[in-house]
Amino acid sequence: AERYSHRLTNNNDDQEDNTYRYSQFFMNLILRYNQNYQNFKEFYPNLTLVNETKQSFVERYKQGNTKVVFEKYSQGIFFAINEPNTNNYYLVPNLKASFSEYHWKTLEAVFDYDRESLEKSQKMRLEKPARMIPFSENGKLYLELQNKGNLDFN
């Protein structure tokens, strides 16, 4: 039986992005991530380290489920950042983390990028963070992918 009762459909159409894409917070997030990653955490002291839940990964991998759900994890390989005074959460990769094969599969599910460019480059640029929707279950916060992000490897 599926553990998460919350339901969303992944909508990767950019039309709904217009309500948040150009907010000052959103633009600063991209700029700070790309130009000042070493001090990124200082700009966002309330960021949360997260990983995809094991259940989400297994359901996606074995059953073809498209839902991607994250939870707080102290050694997470992604940062979740909440835009103040909103329910907007954004997800970006933690560049200092070691990515296992499991983590690369999650990255592919959450971000669009050119795999061929990735193989030729070790420099990554955030074009758009993934947008997440929060929900609680049994008193625990989860984040579900709403819109995929974009990464550029050059």
Side-chain angles (χ1 to χ4, degrees), residues 121-133:
S121 172
Q122 293 191 356
K123 186 174 181 183
M124 186 200 76
R125 190 172 140 280
L126 177 68
E127 292 183 341
K128 182 175 92 173
R131 185 169 186 209
M132 312 300 287
I133 295 295

Side-chain angles (χ1 to χ4, degrees), residues 3-8 53 67-70 87 89 132-145:
R3 179 174 157 207
Y4 306 109
S5 58
H6 179 74
R7 296 281 183 272
L8 271 181
T53 67
K67 183 167 46 170
V68 186
V69 178
F70 287 80
N87 260 347
Y89 278 81
M132 312 300 287
I133 295 295
F135 69 96
S136 291
E137 193 162 290
N138 298 324
K140 188 172 181 179
L141 177 69
Y142 294 93
L143 299 171
E144 184 176 343
L145 177 66

Side-chain angles (χ1 to χ4, degrees), residues 2-154:
E2 191 172 321
R3 179 174 157 207
Y4 306 109
S5 58
H6 179 74
R7 296 281 183 272
L8 271 181
T9 57
N10 287 0
N11 184 352
N12 295 326
D13 184 350
D14 280 341
Q15 289 179 342
E16 86 290 340
D17 284 354
N18 292 332
T19 58
Y20 74 94
R21 182 191 306 195
Y22 298 112
S23 74
Q24 190 66 41
F25 181 88
F26 184 87
M27 297 307 289
N28 285 339
L29 175 72
I30 295 169
L31 184 69
R32 290 173 176 155
Y33 188 87
N34 289 327
Q35 294 184 355
N36 198 358
Y37 184 80
Q38 297 304 321
N39 298 321
F40 187 71
K41 286 196 226 179
E42 292 175 25
F43 292 113
Y44 305 101
N46 294 327
L47 62 77
T48 305
L49 286 166
V50 297
N51 271 354
E52 183 177 11
T53 67
K54 288 180 184 175
Q55 179 181 346
S56 170
F57 182 81
V58 168
E59 287 177 1
R60 211 169 31 77
Y61 187 70
K62 290 187 177 180
Q63 301 169 8
N65 191 347
T66 58
K67 183 167 46 170
V68 186
V69 178
F70 287 80
E71 65 185 341
K72 186 176 181 177
Y73 184 68
S74 63
Q75 297 174 346
I77 59 149
F78 294 94
F79 291 130
I81 302 115
N82 177 229
E83 184 172 356
N85 304 313
T86 73
N87 260 347
N88 294 335
Y89 278 81
Y90 302 102
L91 191 82
V92 297
N94 175 359
L95 295 180
K96 294 182 180 178
S98 298
F99 277 66
S100 68
E101 183 178 340
Y102 163 86
H103 298 124
W104 280 107
K105 290 182 185 295
T106 299
L107 187 82
E108 290 175 359
V110 178
F111 290 93
D112 289 323
Y113 62 91
D114 180 13
R115 290 184 193 176
E116 192 173 303
S117 296
L118 171 64
E119 294 172 9
K120 298 176 185 176
S121 172
Q122 293 191 356
K123 186 174 181 183
M124 186 200 76
R125 190 172 140 280
L126 177 68
E127 292 183 341
K128 182 175 92 173
R131 185 169 186 209
M132 312 300 287
I133 295 295
F135 69 96
S136 291
E137 193 162 290
N138 298 324
K140 188 172 181 179
L141 177 69
Y142 294 93
L143 299 171
E144 184 176 343
L145 177 66
Q146 182 180 32
N147 303 104
K148 288 179 95 170
N150 294 88
L151 301 174
D152 180 44
F153 293 92
N154 50 26

